[in-house]
Amino acid sequence: MSTVRQELLRLLAHKSFKLGEFKLSSGTTSDYYVDCRTTTLDARGSQLTGQVFLEEIRARGWKPQAIGGLTMGADPIVVAVSVVSGELSGFLVRKGEKQHGTRQRIEGYREKGARVVVVDDVCTTGASTIEAIEAAREFGFEVVAAMCLVEREEAGGRPNVEKAASPAPFVSIFKASDVRAEHVLQNDETTEVFAVSSTCELCGRPAVTYTPRSRCEIHKN
């Protein structure tokens, strides 16, 4: 795992993962919740998100002209990748057709026939990703791939998204189990982990732990 990807995983586990009892959009309950927006809207988290998605897109050779997804989970990811790349445009899919003005559902980049990657933050049942794929194709985009930041494997959304995206592939950056494992590691007081912030908040030296705060070797206790 690259350094950038590892840092993003640590930040997701620190900021976005919560244990407890939660009701999901699917109507089921879960003992954990992942709120990716607390990471993708974080200053450093946005940088990392853009870099990791862009690295994956380039490594797979998809060569899209734009990246987009259903508002609002996809919004910060789309902006982050577009800014980091300096070349990929972004588009957002409204949840319903706008009732005034141009009445368009696709906002931003609107070049029919363009190669695009559809993104989302969390894939549970896959409904929002599928809605974005269908809207993108209906508009006239060529969907070359679908991606999500965190995939909840137990919800069974992958087959749904793969079917909707076919023949384009579906790729998840992290599995929820990856984020959960990192979260447990960070909250194990007997285990020292590397800091999300790279510097000690007290002196500026390289940080070696963030339990409970980002501290260097000297100030970690």
Side-chain angles (χ1 to χ4, degrees):
M1 186 181 295
S2 71
T3 302
V4 172
R5 186 176 289 233
Q6 184 64 48
E7 188 178 353
L8 178 57
L9 175 61
R10 289 170 179 157
L11 198 58
L12 281 165
H14 180 60
K15 285 183 170 288
S16 298
F17 188 91
K18 301 182 185 302
L19 289 171
E21 186 174 338
F22 303 94
K23 186 174 183 178
L24 305 179
S25 60
S26 61
T28 60
T29 58
S30 175
D31 67 344
Y32 75 93
Y33 186 69
V34 185
D35 180 5
C36 286
R37 278 163 290 193
T38 57
T39 294
T40 58
L41 289 170
D42 174 82
R44 179 57 178 158
S46 179
Q47 289 180 317
L48 295 169
T49 299
Q51 290 172 356
V52 169
F53 269 82
L54 186 60
E55 285 179 359
E56 190 72 30
I57 289 169
R58 287 176 172 169
R60 292 179 179 272
W62 292 326
K63 298 181 179 179
Q65 294 159 267
I67 183 170
L70 190 70
T71 192
M72 64 172 20
D75 296 10
I77 299 175
V78 171
V79 174
V81 176
S82 182
V83 170
V84 168
S85 72
E87 58 186 29
L88 290 181
S89 296
F91 68 91
L92 302 177
V93 180
R94 289 178 175 271
K95 292 184 178 179
E97 187 179 272
K98 188 165 61 173
Q99 299 303 307
H100 59 278
T102 58
R103 296 179 178 269
Q104 62 196 30
R105 191 175 182 195
I106 302 290
E107 299 286 357
Y109 185 81
R110 292 171 55 82
E111 188 70 34
K112 290 185 182 292
R115 295 168 59 85
V116 304
V117 172
V118 170
V119 299
D120 210 341
D121 56 359
V122 178
C123 176
T124 304
T125 63
S128 60
T129 308
I130 293 169
E131 186 175 349
I133 291 170
E134 291 174 346
R137 285 177 170 157
E138 183 179 348
F139 172 76
F141 287 142
E142 178 188 354
V143 177
V144 297
M147 302 176 71
C148 74
L149 181 54
V150 177
E151 177 189 349
R152 297 184 63 117
E153 307 111 299
E154 82 284 355
R158 172 169 284 277
N160 301 331
V161 178
E162 288 179 332
K163 181 179 179 180
S166 181
F170 171 54
V171 174
S172 59
I173 301 298
F174 300 112
K175 301 291 193 291
S177 56
D178 300 328
V179 184
R180 184 181 191 128
E182 179 63 26
H183 176 82
V184 171
L185 179 64
Q186 290 179 12
N187 287 277
D188 180 356
E189 294 184 355
T190 66
T191 304
E192 184 177 271
V193 294
F194 289 102
V196 169
S197 174
S198 61
T199 59
C200 175
E201 62 185 10
L202 296 179
C203 67
R205 292 186 179 89
V208 296
T209 183
Y210 56 81
T211 305
R213 306 295 292 273
S214 295
R215 299 293 170 84
C216 65
E217 185 68 34
I218 296 174
H219 296 113
K220 67 179 181 179
N221 297 319

